[in-house]
């Protein structure tokens, strides 16, 4: 027991004492056989009773319910012993332990969000700790999604999230454009540099061109002129035309109207302010893995009896713990 590589007298005495309460005659261990008759196990002591129950369970799970003895090969084949029943006292509930598709799907969702633990057979499953952590995260996520979404937050209804994402996608570049225009208004001598020099274009103009973000994404959105509004539909940097067009379609059009094809800096500041309440709300989103399931799936899980079903499976598994824990004692 102390791992010193030696068997000493106290350890030998402890082993004898351990065997004496579990066997009718500890001397049966001295026969040199690779099997132990089941009727050699003492069913009159608590330790012996659970050992006998476990031995019967082992041979039954191995397809030998009528066996009168258990062998070393039987007791050491852990995976086969537990493969017969995924509810096996190890505290891990794999998907196959569920009897209905809904619970199996829930276990799969928890595994995807929280990870899992391998059970005695090697199958990945969830523990009570995984379930508790998952539903704690789920509650926090739903509390966030179900906050009162007033008009000041959901400014474009169901399209608010996509619109805000489109705005954020071009925000840095639009800020850069207006900053350059302000600098040009401050000092006209900076205009050439702010628009990038001719040599910057010559660097790649002499080769076969494919207008990609790698080549021109760092260039301004439009030509820089002091006080010039940002055009959205023409004369824009090719690398940003798709993003600007999406911004125009799902942000500018519903907020300012389709006829608004260019923005002043005041317009741009106003659009950002329009989404400020929504942006502050999104900043409070809890960092939870269950977000990947989506709000609809999260609500379905919360409204179901999945948590109770898993609690019952875990309790059922826990009840078998002493019996199946005795498998190591049998071995």
């Amino acid at each position: 027991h102390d791992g010193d590589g030696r068997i000493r007298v106290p350890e030998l005495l402890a082993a004898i004492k351990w065997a004496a309460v579990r066997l009718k005659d500890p001397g049966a261990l001295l026969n040199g056989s690779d099997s132990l008759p089941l009727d050699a196990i003492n069913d009159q002591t608590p330790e012996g009773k659970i050992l006998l129950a476990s031995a019967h369970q082992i041979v039954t799970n191995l397809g030998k319910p009528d066996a009168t003895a258990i062998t070393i090969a039987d007791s050491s084949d852990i995976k086969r012993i537990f493969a017969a029943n995924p509810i096996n006292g190890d505290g891990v509930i794999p998907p196959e332990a569920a009897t209905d598709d809904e619970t199996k799907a829930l276990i799969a969702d928890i595994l995807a969000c929280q990870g899992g633990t391998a059970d005695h057979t090697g199958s990945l499953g969830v523990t009570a700790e995984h379930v508790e952590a998952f539903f704690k995260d789920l509650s926090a996520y739903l509390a966030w999604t179900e906050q009162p979404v007033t008009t000041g937050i959901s400014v474009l209804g169901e399209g608010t999230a996509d619109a805000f994402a489109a705005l954020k996608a071009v925000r840095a570049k639009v800020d850069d454009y207006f900053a350059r225009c302000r600098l040009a208004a401050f000092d006209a001598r900076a205009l050439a540099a702010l628009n990038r020099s001719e040599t910057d274009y010559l660097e790649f103009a002499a080769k076969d061109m494919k207008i990609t973000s790698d080549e021109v994404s760092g260039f301004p959105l439009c030509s820089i002129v002091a006080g010039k509004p940002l055009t959205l539909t023409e004369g824009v940097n090719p690398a940003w035309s798709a993003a600007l067009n999406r911004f125009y379609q799902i942000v500018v059009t519903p907020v300012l109207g389709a006829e608004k094809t260019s923005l002043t800096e005041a317009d741009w500041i106003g659009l950002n302010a329009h989404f400020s309440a929504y942006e502050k709300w999104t900043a409070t989103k809890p960092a939870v893995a269950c977000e990947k399931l989506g709000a609809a799936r999260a609500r379905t899980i919360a409204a179901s009896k999945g948590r109770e079903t898993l609690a019952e499976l875990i309790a059922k598994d826990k009840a078998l713990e002493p019996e199946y824990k005795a498998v190591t004692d049998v071995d």
Side-chain angles (χ1 to χ4, degrees), residues 93 110 114 126-136 306-307 310-311 314:
I93 309 298
I110 297 175
Q114 300 291 332
V126 299
T127 63
E129 291 73 23
H130 289 129
V131 174
E132 180 67 24
F134 174 79
F135 278 97
K136 182 179 179 181
R307 188 172 190 173
L310 286 179
I314 291 169

Side-chain angles (χ1 to χ4, degrees), residues 22-25 27-43 48 51-52 55-56 59 67-72 74 330:
R22 289 167 173 80
L23 298 174
K24 294 174 180 176
D25 176 13
L29 296 175
L30 303 178
N31 294 334
S33 172
D34 68 349
S35 66
L36 179 72
L38 295 181
D39 63 7
I41 300 173
N42 188 354
D43 59 0
L51 195 75
L52 183 59
H56 278 300
V59 293
T68 59
I70 186 166
T71 68
I72 294 171
D74 291 336
V330 174

Side-chain angles (χ1 to χ4, degrees), residues 34-294:
D34 68 349
S35 66
L36 179 72
L38 295 181
D39 63 7
I41 300 173
N42 188 354
D43 59 0
Q44 299 303 306
T45 65
E47 296 87 351
K49 284 181 180 179
I50 197 161
L51 195 75
L52 183 59
S54 184
H56 278 300
Q57 189 66 56
I58 289 171
V59 293
T60 299
N61 285 4
L62 295 177
K64 301 185 288 185
D66 298 325
T68 59
I70 186 166
T71 68
I72 294 171
D74 291 336
S75 66
S76 60
D77 196 353
I78 298 297
K79 285 194 174 183
R80 279 192 63 207
I81 292 170
F82 289 110
N85 189 357
I87 300 294
N88 50 39
D90 60 4
V92 181
I93 309 298
E96 55 266 29
T99 57
D100 61 278
D101 292 339
E102 186 177 353
T103 306
K104 288 178 182 178
L106 174 57
I107 294 173
D109 285 338
I110 297 175
L111 289 173
C113 295
Q114 300 291 332
T117 299
D119 74 353
H120 288 319
T121 69
S123 293
L124 205 61
V126 299
T127 63
E129 291 73 23
H130 289 129
V131 174
E132 180 67 24
F134 174 79
F135 278 97
K136 182 179 179 181
D137 284 356
L138 194 78
S139 177
Y141 176 61
L142 286 176
W144 176 78
T145 61
E146 293 170 1
Q147 287 177 15
V149 183
T150 65
T151 304
I153 295 177
S154 188
V155 289
L156 294 179
E158 293 183 358
T160 304
D162 286 342
F164 180 64
L167 182 143
K168 283 188 69 177
V170 299
R171 178 182 276 170
K173 205 65 183 174
V174 176
D175 284 343
D176 171 79
Y177 172 79
F178 285 117
R180 288 172 184 266
C181 289
R182 288 197 304 274
L183 194 55
F186 168 70
D187 191 337
R189 292 175 298 176
L191 196 58
L194 291 169
N195 277 297
R196 303 293 289 261
S197 67
E198 183 180 351
T199 56
D200 289 334
Y201 289 94
L202 290 174
E203 189 176 320
F204 59 82
K207 60 184 180 181
D208 291 339
M209 291 183 63
K210 48 182 181 179
I211 304 301
T212 67
S213 58
D214 291 337
E215 290 178 324
V216 296
S217 63
F219 285 47
L221 280 178
C222 294
S223 60
I224 304 301
V225 177
K228 177 191 171 186
L230 171 65
T231 57
L232 302 174
T233 57
E234 57 183 25
V236 301
N237 184 329
W240 289 91
S241 60
L244 274 178
N245 183 62
R246 178 168 173 76
F247 167 68
Y248 167 69
Q249 295 291 341
I250 69 174
V251 179
V252 177
T253 297
V255 177
L256 300 177
E259 69 281 357
K260 191 73 171 175
T261 57
S262 64
L263 296 177
T264 65
E265 188 167 10
D267 292 332
W268 171 242
I269 292 171
L271 280 174
N272 279 276
H274 195 65
F275 288 90
S276 63
Y278 181 82
E279 184 169 13
K280 289 177 183 177
W281 179 65
T282 58
T284 65
K285 180 172 61 178
V288 291
C290 63
E291 180 189 355
K292 70 176 74 174
L293 301 178

